[in-house]
């Protein structure tokens, strides 16, 4: 899989390092302590050295990116991961690196931004996108809703992912609509529903079809 997608891996790795290049260009304008963590209220609650902020974060994200790709390639049934889901694996870390870099440098340079709103909107977009990809995921061990019942029964996998896909699309839209409330508890409640309901659906599917045998 890696050999077949080596150019995508190369390009996505370069994208991850864009904030590093930007940081080196802005080096003399950056403070010795840079914001690297934000609380639920969107306010900075953690700082790190300039060296870590510029070099450490992108390099850490690059390592995570490669680990995700290698684990996906090494997992059983990795050929079942759909092309669209595979693109999601390749592009989640690069997108995260760009967003974190934009927020970090933006705040350092005095750009006014609402971090909480940005992150809630991005999560809504992410769930909406994943909801579109889920029904296309064939049974595999890396991407999707991996439960004992879905991994042991392809019909359960397919039904669960069709259901979860619709639910996550709706959930993503609800997240986007409620993002402007900037209420972390509303967001966590939606995430809990999107996480737990598909598991319940999968288990009930398993119980129903087991009792019919």
């Amino acid at each position: 899989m890696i050999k077949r997608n080596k150019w995508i891996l190369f390009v996505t790795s370069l994208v991850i390092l864009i904030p590093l290049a930007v940081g080196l260009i802005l080096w003399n304008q950056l403070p010795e302590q840079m914001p690297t963590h934000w609380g639920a209220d969107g306010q900075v609650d953690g700082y790190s050295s300039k060296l870590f902020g510029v070099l450490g974060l992108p390099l850490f994200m690059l390592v995570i990116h490669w680990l995700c790709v290698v684990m996906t390639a090494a997992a059983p049934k990795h050929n079942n991961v759909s092309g669209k889901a595979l693109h999601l694996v390749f592009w989640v870390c690069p997108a995260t690196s760009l967003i974190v870099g934009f927020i970090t440098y933006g705040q350092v340079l005095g750009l006014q931004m609402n971090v909480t709103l940005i992150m809630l909107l991005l999560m809504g977009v992410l769930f909406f996108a994943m909801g579109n990809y889920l029904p296309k995921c064939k049974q595999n061990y890396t991407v999707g809703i991996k439960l004992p019942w879905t991994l042991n029964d392809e019909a359960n996998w397919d039904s669960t992912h069709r259901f979860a896909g619709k639910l996550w699309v709706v959930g993503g839209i609800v997240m986007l609509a409620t993002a402007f409330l900037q209420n972390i508890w509303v967001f966590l409640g939606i995430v809990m529903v999107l996480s737990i309901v598909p598991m319940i659906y999968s288990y009930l599917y398993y119980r129903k079809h087991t009792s019919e045998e």
Side-chain angles (χ1 to χ4, degrees):
M1 187 201 82
I2 294 179
K3 186 176 181 180
R4 188 172 64 250
N5 294 281
K6 60 183 179 182
W7 284 108
I8 297 178
L9 182 58
F10 175 72
V11 170
T12 52
S13 297
L14 287 181
V15 171
I16 288 175
L17 296 177
I18 287 176
L20 188 155
V22 172
L24 292 177
I25 293 171
L26 298 174
W27 185 268
N28 292 330
Q29 299 175 248
L30 301 176
E32 291 304 316
Q33 294 292 312
M34 295 178 58
T36 52
H37 192 273
W38 289 262
D41 59 357
Q43 300 301 310
V44 179
D45 62 4
Y47 291 84
S48 298
S49 68
K50 178 163 61 173
L51 183 64
F52 179 80
V54 173
L55 301 179
L57 286 178
L59 291 177
F60 175 74
M61 193 63 65
L62 183 64
V63 171
I64 297 299
H65 178 56
W66 274 80
L67 281 175
C68 289
V69 173
V70 170
M71 289 174 63
T72 301
K77 297 185 179 181
H78 65 269
N79 288 326
N80 281 351
V81 180
S82 69
K84 289 186 176 181
L86 191 59
H87 276 87
L88 195 62
V89 172
F90 273 108
W91 284 102
V92 164
C93 284
T96 302
S97 182
L98 291 177
I99 293 164
V100 171
F102 170 74
I103 293 174
T104 300
Y105 296 136
Q107 291 219 327
V108 165
L109 298 175
L111 182 65
Q112 296 297 316
M113 61 179 69
N114 189 324
V115 176
T116 300
L117 179 59
I118 292 173
M119 297 311 298
L120 291 177
L121 289 173
L122 288 172
M123 290 302 298
V125 171
L126 180 61
F127 271 98
F128 182 86
M130 289 191 298
N132 279 282
Y133 291 155
L134 276 181
K136 303 175 182 67
C137 281
K138 295 181 180 180
Q139 201 175 36
N140 70 92
Y141 288 85
T142 50
V143 180
I145 301 170
K146 300 177 289 297
L147 299 168
W149 318 291
T150 57
L151 293 174
N152 291 329
D153 181 0
E154 189 171 357
N156 189 317
W157 174 283
D158 292 339
S159 182
T160 298
H161 283 71
R162 284 194 299 269
F163 170 79
K166 296 175 183 178
L167 181 66
W168 284 22
V169 166
V170 173
I173 294 173
V174 173
M175 280 187 184
L176 292 172
T178 58
F180 294 93
L181 297 175
Q182 299 183 51
N183 189 315
I184 191 65
W185 296 110
V186 171
F187 167 74
L188 291 176
I190 297 171
V191 171
M192 289 288 288
V193 170
L194 299 184
S195 302
I196 294 174
V197 171
M199 290 192 287
I200 295 174
Y201 175 92
S202 179
Y203 178 71
L204 293 176
Y205 184 100
Y206 161 75
R207 288 291 302 270
K208 176 182 178 181
H209 289 79
T210 300
S211 63
E212 292 176 353
E213 294 179 357

